[in-house]
Amino acid sequence: GAVVSQHPSWVICKSGTSVKIECRSLDFQATTMFWYRQFPKQSLMLMATSNEGSKATYEQGVEKDKFLINHASLTLSTLTVTSAHPEDSSFYICSAPRSGIAYEQYFGPGTRLTVT
Amino acid sequence: GQQVMQIPQYQHVQEGEDFTTYCNSSTTLSNIQWYKQRPGGHPVFLIQLVKSGEVKKQKRLTFQFGEAKKNSSLHITATQTTDVGTYFCAGRYNFNKFYFGSGTKLNVKP
C-alpha cells in the first residue's frame, strides 16, 4: 500500500521555540494533505488542509499564524509550530489522500511534540 | 465546525462476542470512511461507504450507511483478540476533507 512518512517521530523543545514537522508521500503524489492533532485517548482533530501550490485552509479555531503550513511539492507538506507553548504538546499526524475510487487517506506515523 | 458523533466510547467484550459502533451526523454526509487504530499506531483505512443504504462486508466486519446518509455502523461478528484497537468513522461533507468521530475503543478479553 501507499506509504506516508513523517519526520521527526518525536521532538522535545523549549517554550518559545519553533518546530517543523515534515510529511512525505513516498510512492505517490498528493496535491492535498491533511494535518490532524490527536490528544491522548482522543480522536483526530482536523487542523488544516494543505494544498500544493496554494495557501492552506484552516479549520475554525486553528491559528494559522501559529501553525504554518507549506506544501512545497507534490510529495511534501510541512507544519511549523511557531513559538511553541506547553499546551501545544500533542501528537501531530498527517495524511495524504490518494485519488481514486475510495479517496482513502494514508496516514503518517505521527510526531509526538513535547514542549517544556 | 462539522461534527460526527460516535458511540460507545469504550466496549469490552469477551472473545467470540459481537461488537458494534455507531456514528451519527446531524447533517447529510457525502460519504463515510472507517479506520482502525491499534495502540501506538496510526489510523489504517478500512472501507468507504458512498451510497444511501449501502452495506459492505469484509470477512467478520459489516459496514452500513444509513438511508439518509446521516449515520453509519460497523459490526464485528465473533470478535478476536486481533480486533483490539480504536475504530473511527470519518465523515465527509463536501470538498475532500473528513471529520473524525470520537472513536470507539474495543478491548477483547481472551
Side-chain angles (χ1 to χ4, degrees):
Chain A
V3 179
V4 174
S5 70
Q6 262 183 262
H7 178 80
S9 55
W10 60 269
V11 58
I12 301 173
C13 71
K14 293 186 177 181
S15 287
T17 60
S18 295
V19 174
K20 180 186 283 189
I21 303 170
E22 293 184 350
C23 178
R24 293 181 186 272
S25 56
L26 297 184
D27 54 356
F28 67 100
Q29 293 182 334
T31 55
T32 300
M33 291 184 178
F34 300 107
W35 285 96
Y36 296 87
R37 185 172 177 176
Q38 187 173 31
F39 292 99
K41 300 181 180 180
Q42 293 189 30
S43 185
L44 289 83
M45 183 193 78
L46 179 63
M47 298 176 65
T49 304
S50 173
N51 305 297
E52 192 270 334
S54 63
K55 290 182 180 179
T57 54
Y58 292 81
E59 294 300 303
Q60 191 175 8
V62 178
E63 299 175 60
K64 59 182 178 182
D65 294 331
K66 180 164 187 63
F67 298 99
L68 300 179
I69 291 173
N70 182 32
H71 201 132
S73 73
L74 288 172
T75 59
L76 173 64
S77 174
T78 60
L79 167 68
T80 302
V81 183
T82 63
S83 187
H85 290 281
E87 55 265 32
D88 298 325
S89 298
S90 189
F91 189 63
Y92 292 88
I93 191 165
C94 70
S95 75
R98 194 166 189 176
S99 297
I101 298 173
Y103 201 73
E104 61 187 87
Q105 297 187 63
Y106 292 91
F107 282 84
T111 298
R112 173 74 58 193
L113 170 63
T114 301
V115 184
T116 60
Chain B
Q2 305 289 5
Q3 264 196 326
V4 177
M5 309 301 293
Q6 189 172 356
I7 57 169
Q9 190 174 4
Y10 301 98
Q11 186 81 59
H12 301 273
V13 299
Q14 197 72 40
E15 189 172 24
E17 293 180 339
D18 292 355
F19 159 78
T20 306
T21 174
Y22 302 89
C23 281
N24 187 65
S25 169
S26 58
T27 54
T28 302
L29 296 163
S30 174
N31 55 45
I32 194 162
Q33 295 181 344
W34 285 90
Y35 291 81
K36 178 183 179 181
Q37 184 175 23
R38 286 201 164 95
H42 59 272
V44 174
F45 176 83
L46 294 176
I47 209 161
Q48 174 169 280
L49 303 171
V50 179
K51 299 177 183 177
S52 169
E54 190 169 15
V55 178
K56 286 188 177 180
K57 291 191 176 185
Q58 287 180 351
K59 297 182 180 178
R60 295 178 295 105
L61 277 61
T62 302
F63 303 85
Q64 290 189 319
F65 202 10
E67 292 290 341
K69 299 182 72 172
K70 289 184 178 181
N71 55 71
S72 182
S73 65
L74 158 59
H75 179 83
I76 302 178
T77 304
T79 55
Q80 300 174 357
T81 54
T82 53
D83 296 326
V84 165
T86 301
Y87 293 84
F88 293 98
C89 62
R92 175 181 172 186
Y93 293 90
N94 50 29
F95 304 106
N96 286 328
K97 51 186 179 180
F98 290 81
Y99 295 91
F100 278 72
S102 51
T104 297
K105 186 175 181 179
L106 172 64
N107 187 37
V108 180
K109 291 179 286 186

